[in-house]
Amino acid sequence: MPMNRVVRLVKRPAPGLVSPDCFEIRDETVPEPGEGEFRVRAQFVSLDPAMRGWVNDGRSYVPPVGLGDVMRAFSAGTVEASRHPDFHEGDAVVGLFGAQTHAISDGKGVQRADTSIAPLQTWIGGLGMPGLTAYFGLLRVAEAKEGDTVVVSAASGAVGSIVGQIARIKGCRAVGIAGGPEKCRALVEEDGFDTAVDYKAGNLAGDLAAACPNGIDVDFENVGGPILDAVLPLMNPFGRIAVCGLISSYTATTPPPGPANLRFLLTMRLKMQGFIVFDFARENPIALADLSQWIVQEKLRFREDVRDGGIDAFPETLNLLYTGGNFGKLSLRV
Ligand SMILES: NC(=O)c1ccc[n+]([C@@H]2O[C@H](COP(=O)([O-])OP(=O)(O)OC[C@H]3O[C@@H](n4cnc5c(N)ncnc54)[C@H](OP(=O)(O)O)[C@@H]3O)[C@@H](O)[C@H]2O)c1
């Protein structure tokens, strides 16, 4: 008899990477849908940097995952039993179904995955939360426009790679920051960035200045810390910084220092705004129409890092995000 393989949070992690004993992974009875519900068999579970924040007990944009609860996660799968009028057996869907193989949903917040446009796993990546984040962060928050120099950090990842490609589609100059020569090579040769800077090469400030001879108009900030400090002095007057993520601090074991170069916010009259992708949920159909069209036109491609190992590999796979061990949108085939 099939069982539901589930990841539950059982302990709050200490600062740093999440130790595997924070999670309990076990078999549970496959749940039956009630009236107005359906059951999804997940095929791909998404691993996202935000998970490090979700397991902390603190004030944020969503409540923390409760101790004993199924770990919060997006996944993509197929409806296998339904008592919901609008969802039928065989429908491909994406939602916050949790880190488990079988989940019950009432359909709220569930996105249909059109696999004629892109394969199922892409709907938790380029056509899912990361793609929407790139789209809204760049075009709505940072208001990137033709001719801008756009810098994006964590550029080879799920969000960053799409930011650079949309920047190019919109006529901007795209400069990526990533760790290591192979990721930087791929940004230029495969994703079409104008240039890429390896922040691990030891000369970030100089290399970034050389990569941005006309300064920076838009910074899509995924990392924070020393990377933001290198970007700030290069920002052009009235530049915009979209704070999407601060991954360099997520696993810090001591409180990270504030940006040393914040004075450029004042002297260059910069606008800096944090955002959460869910803020734009009502506009998702517009973004998905654009992203889908760019796929069809072969202007946009997605790098996916799909790992095997099933649900049991969840804890160690999650930590790859904070050590640069992933290359593209990270997910688990379950
Ligand atoms: N605001 C929102 O609504 C929203 C939504 C989705 C994601 N995000 C944020 O967007 C960012 C990227 O997320 P993603 O899903 O696309 O992840 P990702 O970029 O696919 O993976 C994370 C990457 O971050 C880089 N990284 C990790 N630690 C670093 C450090 N200390 N310094 C520099 N780079 C580091 C690594 O690449 P390297 O090998 O290049 O170091 C790693 O591969 C994260 O900050 C995430 O929290 C925000």
Side-chain angles (χ1 to χ4, degrees):
M1 200 173 95
M3 298 295 282
N4 184 21
R5 195 79 179 148
V6 184
V7 180
R8 289 189 182 271
L9 180 72
V10 292
K11 197 174 96 175
R12 300 253 172 241
L17 295 174
V18 184
S19 71
D21 64 350
C22 293
F23 299 113
E24 189 176 282
I25 302 170
R26 60 187 195 214
D27 283 329
E28 298 182 3
T29 308
V30 171
E32 290 302 327
E35 190 57 39
E37 294 179 334
F38 59 88
R39 186 174 69 232
V40 181
R41 173 64 173 94
Q43 281 145 279
F44 300 93
V45 171
S46 179
L47 284 303
D48 293 288
M51 288 172 164
R52 185 62 190 84
W54 294 347
V55 296
N56 288 339
D57 194 7
R59 187 168 168 253
S60 191
Y61 61 95
V62 284
V65 178
L67 289 180
D69 287 356
V70 177
M71 179 60 198
R72 182 182 295 140
F74 282 96
S75 66
T78 308
V79 175
E80 63 171 14
S82 181
R83 296 178 63 193
H84 191 293
D86 302 328
F87 290 89
H88 307 290
E89 216 181 302
D91 286 355
V93 288
V94 176
L96 268 174
F97 300 133
Q100 56 186 340
T101 52
H102 300 73
I104 297 294
S105 171
D106 62 6
K108 286 200 189 86
V110 171
Q111 168 77 43
R112 288 173 191 282
D114 182 347
T115 53
S116 70
I117 298 174
L120 186 58
Q121 72 272 15
T122 301
W123 290 87
I124 49 170
L127 290 174
M129 191 268 286
L132 295 168
T133 302
Y135 183 95
F136 292 123
L138 184 67
L139 302 180
R140 296 281 196 280
V141 182
E143 298 179 312
K145 56 184 190 312
E146 193 176 347
D148 280 347
T149 292
V150 172
V151 167
V152 56
S153 47
S156 76
V159 175
S161 148
I162 301 172
V163 169
Q165 293 180 73
I166 298 177
R168 294 285 291 133
I169 290 167
K170 294 292 178 183
C172 306
R173 184 161 189 276
V175 179
I177 303 176
E182 173 51 20
K183 287 186 174 181
C184 288
R185 182 204 60 76
L187 286 177
V188 176
E189 291 179 14
E190 296 170 17
D191 298 347
F193 281 59
D194 292 278
T195 188
V197 173
D198 176 2
Y199 74 91
K200 291 183 175 168
N203 182 34
L204 176 59
D207 290 347
L208 191 59
C212 305
N214 298 320
I216 299 169
D217 302 295
V218 165
D219 173 38
F220 193 106
E221 191 54 56
N222 280 327
V223 172
I227 290 191
L228 177 59
D229 261 331
V231 165
L232 281 167
L234 300 173
M235 291 296 299
N236 288 329
F238 303 102
R240 289 87 67 205
I241 301 176
V243 182
C244 174
L246 298 168
I247 196 167
S248 67
S249 66
Y250 297 175
T251 52
T253 49
T254 52
N261 287 324
L262 207 54
R263 69 178 182 282
F264 290 99
L265 212 62
L266 170 66
T267 56
M268 292 301 127
R269 290 86 87 203
L270 307 177
K271 203 155 86 176
M272 187 173 188
Q273 190 188 334
F275 74 99
I276 298 296
V277 61
F278 307 134
D279 299 341
F280 297 91
R282 277 203 306 209
E283 294 181 65
N284 282 359
I286 299 169
L288 284 175
D290 278 347
L291 293 167
S292 303
Q293 189 191 16
W294 293 330
I295 296 176
V296 172
Q297 295 171 341
E298 296 185 0
K299 292 179 176 170
L300 185 59
R301 61 188 298 283
F302 304 128
R303 186 173 296 105
E304 291 164 354
D305 187 345
V306 181
R307 302 286 169 127
D308 291 313
I311 284 286
D312 291 60
F314 181 87
E316 74 254 26
T317 310
L318 174 62
N319 280 332
L320 294 175
L321 291 166
Y322 314 108
T323 57
N326 67 306
F327 193 3
K329 170 62 205 156
L330 188 62
S331 69
L332 266 179
R333 194 190 316 273
V334 299

